[in-house]
Amino acid sequence: MVHEDRRDEGRVGPLKDVRIDLLVSEFDMGLAQPLSRSVRLNGFATCLRLEQVYWDILGDMAKVNRCSVSTLLSHVDREVHLRHGGVKNFTGLVRVVCVVHSLKEGNCLAMA
C-alpha cells in the first residue's frame, strides 16, 4: 500500500535497532521539568529557566568549586564576555557548559 510505504520514508533503519530501553524504562521525568530561578550575575539579578537536570549539574559544579551557583554562573558570564565579547543566549551556553562538564567527568550514560 502507498500509505504504508510513506510511513517508512526518512527512517534510517528499523526501530528495533534503537537501543534506548534503559533510558526510557528508568527515565526520571522530573529531570526534564523546567524551573525558573533567580540568580545574580555579577551583581545583576536575572532569571534563568533550565530543566532540573541542569540545575543539579550546576549544583554539583558549584559544590566542587566551593561556591554558590550564582557565583559559578557569574564566572561563566564574565569569562564569556572577556574571551568572546558575550553571548546572545546565556541559557543555551549554560546548558552546553553543563553537558561539557558532564562529558569530562564521565557522568553521561553510555548507550548499550
Side-chain angles (χ1 to χ4, degrees):
M1 229 177 156
V2 174
H3 180 69
E4 289 177 0
D5 292 339
R6 289 181 185 224
R7 287 188 303 180
D8 290 333
E9 288 178 8
R11 289 188 185 164
V12 176
L15 289 177
K16 66 181 180 180
D17 291 342
V18 177
R19 297 180 181 170
I20 60 170
D21 185 46
L22 178 64
L23 180 64
V24 173
S25 64
E26 296 181 14
F27 187 73
D28 177 3
M29 281 302 292
L31 295 173
Q33 182 67 36
L35 296 170
S36 295
R37 292 193 183 168
S38 295
V39 294
R40 283 199 162 292
L41 297 179
N42 299 306
F44 293 96
T46 190
C47 186
L48 285 180
R49 186 172 173 87
L50 294 167
E51 291 75 15
Q52 181 62 51
V53 67
Y54 295 111
W55 289 116
D56 291 348
I57 294 168
L58 288 170
D60 291 343
M61 292 172 67
K63 189 175 185 179
V64 166
N65 288 285
R66 296 182 179 155
C67 66
S68 67
V69 170
S70 288
T71 299
L72 180 75
L73 292 173
S74 289
H75 177 74
V76 170
D77 183 53
R78 188 170 44 253
E79 288 298 313
V80 78
H81 279 285
L82 291 173
R83 296 178 188 209
H84 306 285
V87 64
K88 289 184 180 181
N89 182 353
F90 185 71
T91 304
L93 173 68
V94 170
R95 286 186 179 99
V96 171
V97 165
C98 289
V99 169
V100 169
H101 169 77
S102 293
L103 288 171
K104 284 183 177 180
E105 295 295 313
N107 294 333
C108 290
L109 291 174
M111 293 276 208

